[in-house]
mmCIF file of all heavy atoms in Angstrom:
data_model
loop_
_atom_site.group_PDB
_atom_site.id
_atom_site.type_symbol
_atom_site.label_atom_id
_atom_site.label_comp_id
_atom_site.label_asym_id
_atom_site.label_seq_id
_atom_site.Cartn_x
_atom_site.Cartn_y
_atom_site.Cartn_z
ATOM 1 N N THR A 61 13.799 17.827 1.603
ATOM 2 C CA THR A 61 13.923 17.557 0.167
ATOM 3 C C THR A 61 15.333 17.066 -0.159
ATOM 4 O O THR A 61 16.301 17.502 0.462
ATOM 5 C CB THR A 61 13.635 18.866 -0.617
ATOM 6 O OG1 THR A 61 12.337 19.331 -0.229
ATOM 7 C CG2 THR A 61 13.657 18.655 -2.108
ATOM 8 N N ILE A 62 15.428 16.181 -1.132
ATOM 9 C CA ILE A 62 16.742 15.726 -1.599
ATOM 10 C C ILE A 62 17.374 16.834 -2.424
ATOM 11 O O ILE A 62 16.786 17.304 -3.402
ATOM 12 C CB ILE A 62 16.601 14.427 -2.428
ATOM 13 C CG1 ILE A 62 16.035 13.298 -1.546
ATOM 14 C CG2 ILE A 62 17.942 14.029 -3.041
ATOM 15 C CD1 ILE A 62 15.612 12.059 -2.301
ATOM 16 N N LYS A 63 18.574 17.281 -2.018
ATOM 17 C CA LYS A 63 19.220 18.428 -2.671
ATOM 18 C C LYS A 63 20.472 18.033 -3.449
ATOM 19 O O LYS A 63 20.922 18.795 -4.304
ATOM 20 C CB LYS A 63 19.622 19.478 -1.622
ATOM 21 C CG LYS A 63 18.456 20.056 -0.847
ATOM 22 C CD LYS A 63 17.673 21.052 -1.685
ATOM 23 C CE LYS A 63 16.688 21.814 -0.810
ATOM 24 N NZ LYS A 63 15.807 22.651 -1.608
ATOM 25 N N ALA A 64 21.077 16.908 -3.108
ATOM 26 C CA ALA A 64 22.297 16.507 -3.805
ATOM 27 C C ALA A 64 22.408 14.991 -3.827
ATOM 28 O O ALA A 64 22.051 14.317 -2.861
ATOM 29 C CB ALA A 64 23.514 17.106 -3.097
ATOM 30 N N ILE A 65 22.878 14.476 -4.974
ATOM 31 C CA ILE A 65 23.198 13.047 -5.107
ATOM 32 C C ILE A 65 24.525 13.043 -5.857
ATOM 33 O O ILE A 65 24.572 13.401 -7.038
ATOM 34 C CB ILE A 65 22.130 12.298 -5.931
ATOM 35 C CG1 ILE A 65 20.726 12.497 -5.335
ATOM 36 C CG2 ILE A 65 22.457 10.810 -6.032
ATOM 37 C CD1 ILE A 65 19.593 12.252 -6.315
ATOM 38 N N THR A 66 25.604 12.690 -5.187
ATOM 39 C CA THR A 66 26.907 12.947 -5.794
ATOM 40 C C THR A 66 27.964 11.964 -5.296
ATOM 41 O O THR A 66 27.809 11.347 -4.246
ATOM 42 C CB THR A 66 27.351 14.395 -5.462
ATOM 43 O OG1 THR A 66 28.657 14.613 -6.004
ATOM 44 C CG2 THR A 66 27.391 14.649 -3.968
ATOM 45 N N GLU A 67 29.047 11.877 -6.091
ATOM 46 C CA GLU A 67 30.193 11.075 -5.639
ATOM 47 C C GLU A 67 31.173 11.922 -4.844
ATOM 48 O O GLU A 67 32.093 11.394 -4.230
ATOM 49 C CB GLU A 67 30.891 10.433 -6.849
ATOM 50 C CG GLU A 67 30.055 9.318 -7.452
ATOM 51 C CD GLU A 67 30.701 8.712 -8.690
ATOM 52 O OE1 GLU A 67 31.506 7.773 -8.526
ATOM 53 O OE2 GLU A 67 30.402 9.184 -9.805
ATOM 54 N N THR A 68 30.970 13.264 -4.867
ATOM 55 C CA THR A 68 31.890 14.123 -4.101
ATOM 56 C C THR A 68 31.421 14.233 -2.655
ATOM 57 O O THR A 68 30.268 13.944 -2.315
ATOM 58 C CB THR A 68 31.997 15.533 -4.723
ATOM 59 O OG1 THR A 68 30.681 16.065 -4.838
ATOM 60 C CG2 THR A 68 32.665 15.518 -6.068
ATOM 61 N N LYS A 69 32.353 14.693 -1.834
ATOM 62 C CA LYS A 69 32.109 14.752 -0.389
ATOM 63 C C LYS A 69 31.062 15.822 -0.058
ATOM 64 O O LYS A 69 31.038 16.885 -0.670
ATOM 65 C CB LYS A 69 33.442 15.112 0.286
ATOM 66 C CG LYS A 69 33.526 14.746 1.739
ATOM 67 C CD LYS A 69 34.963 14.910 2.222
ATOM 68 C CE LYS A 69 35.107 14.677 3.716
ATOM 69 N NZ LYS A 69 34.312 15.554 4.549
ATOM 70 N N LEU A 70 30.195 15.524 0.889
ATOM 71 C CA LEU A 70 29.202 16.499 1.341
ATOM 72 C C LEU A 70 29.335 16.673 2.842
ATOM 73 O O LEU A 70 29.727 15.738 3.542
ATOM 74 C CB LEU A 70 27.782 16.018 1.040
ATOM 75 C CG LEU A 70 27.383 15.774 -0.417
ATOM 76 C CD1 LEU A 70 25.971 15.211 -0.477
ATOM 77 C CD2 LEU A 70 27.473 17.047 -1.239
ATOM 78 N N SER A 71 28.982 17.865 3.325
ATOM 79 C CA SER A 71 28.975 18.004 4.785
ATOM 80 C C SER A 71 27.552 18.280 5.265
ATOM 81 O O SER A 71 26.754 18.926 4.575
ATOM 82 C CB SER A 71 29.927 19.116 5.231
ATOM 83 O OG SER A 71 29.538 20.328 4.653
ATOM 84 N N GLY A 72 27.254 17.778 6.448
ATOM 85 C CA GLY A 72 25.905 17.912 6.982
ATOM 86 C C GLY A 72 25.912 18.030 8.483
ATOM 87 O O GLY A 72 26.870 17.614 9.138
ATOM 88 N N ARG A 73 24.825 18.606 9.005
ATOM 89 C CA ARG A 73 24.700 18.703 10.470
ATOM 90 C C ARG A 73 24.519 17.320 11.082
ATOM 91 O O ARG A 73 24.922 17.068 12.199
ATOM 92 C CB ARG A 73 23.535 19.630 10.828
ATOM 93 C CG ARG A 73 23.912 21.116 10.706
ATOM 94 C CD ARG A 73 22.738 22.023 10.978
ATOM 95 N NE ARG A 73 21.905 22.173 9.797
ATOM 96 C CZ ARG A 73 22.204 22.990 8.773
ATOM 97 N NH1 ARG A 73 23.282 23.754 8.799
ATOM 98 N NH2 ARG A 73 21.418 23.055 7.720
ATOM 99 N N MET A 74 23.874 16.419 10.329
ATOM 100 C CA MET A 74 23.789 15.028 10.770
ATOM 101 C C MET A 74 24.359 14.182 9.634
ATOM 102 O O MET A 74 24.016 14.393 8.470
ATOM 103 C CB MET A 74 22.330 14.648 11.033
ATOM 104 C CG MET A 74 22.127 13.185 11.378
ATOM 105 S SD MET A 74 20.348 12.816 11.571
ATOM 106 C CE MET A 74 20.424 11.028 11.660
ATOM 107 N N VAL A 75 25.263 13.257 9.991
ATOM 108 C CA VAL A 75 25.886 12.418 8.973
ATOM 109 C C VAL A 75 25.527 10.956 9.247
ATOM 110 O O VAL A 75 25.732 10.452 10.353
ATOM 111 C CB VAL A 75 27.420 12.594 8.968
ATOM 112 C CG1 VAL A 75 28.057 11.669 7.928
ATOM 113 C CG2 VAL A 75 27.788 14.050 8.685
ATOM 114 N N ILE A 76 24.969 10.312 8.236
ATOM 115 C CA ILE A 76 24.646 8.888 8.347
ATOM 116 C C ILE A 76 25.640 8.130 7.482
ATOM 117 O O ILE A 76 25.688 8.343 6.266
ATOM 118 C CB ILE A 76 23.202 8.613 7.869
ATOM 119 C CG1 ILE A 76 22.180 9.313 8.787
ATOM 120 C CG2 ILE A 76 22.938 7.119 7.779
ATOM 121 C CD1 ILE A 76 20.755 9.319 8.249
ATOM 122 N N ASP A 77 26.430 7.276 8.108
ATOM 123 C CA ASP A 77 27.373 6.471 7.335
ATOM 124 C C ASP A 77 26.657 5.206 6.869
ATOM 125 O O ASP A 77 26.288 4.358 7.682
ATOM 126 C CB ASP A 77 28.600 6.124 8.186
ATOM 127 C CG ASP A 77 29.644 5.396 7.349
ATOM 128 O OD1 ASP A 77 29.429 5.221 6.121
ATOM 129 O OD2 ASP A 77 30.680 4.994 7.921
ATOM 130 N N ALA A 78 26.449 5.115 5.564
ATOM 131 C CA ALA A 78 25.681 4.000 5.007
ATOM 132 C C ALA A 78 26.579 2.980 4.305
ATOM 133 O O ALA A 78 26.127 2.228 3.440
ATOM 134 C CB ALA A 78 24.623 4.537 4.053
ATOM 135 N N LYS A 79 27.841 2.929 4.697
ATOM 136 C CA LYS A 79 28.772 1.973 4.081
ATOM 137 C C LYS A 79 28.233 0.541 4.254
ATOM 138 O O LYS A 79 27.861 0.142 5.360
ATOM 139 C CB LYS A 79 30.138 2.098 4.760
ATOM 140 C CG LYS A 79 31.255 1.417 4.002
ATOM 141 C CD LYS A 79 32.602 1.794 4.626
ATOM 142 C CE LYS A 79 33.802 1.382 3.821
ATOM 143 N NZ LYS A 79 33.833 0.054 3.293
#
Side-chain angles (χ1 to χ4, degrees):
T61 304
I62 297 169
K63 298 284 191 187
I65 305 159
T66 177
E67 288 177 88
T68 54
K69 201 170 175 301
L70 299 176
S71 59
R73 281 177 278 281
M74 175 183 170
V75 178
I76 295 169
D77 185 3
K79 194 170 190 314

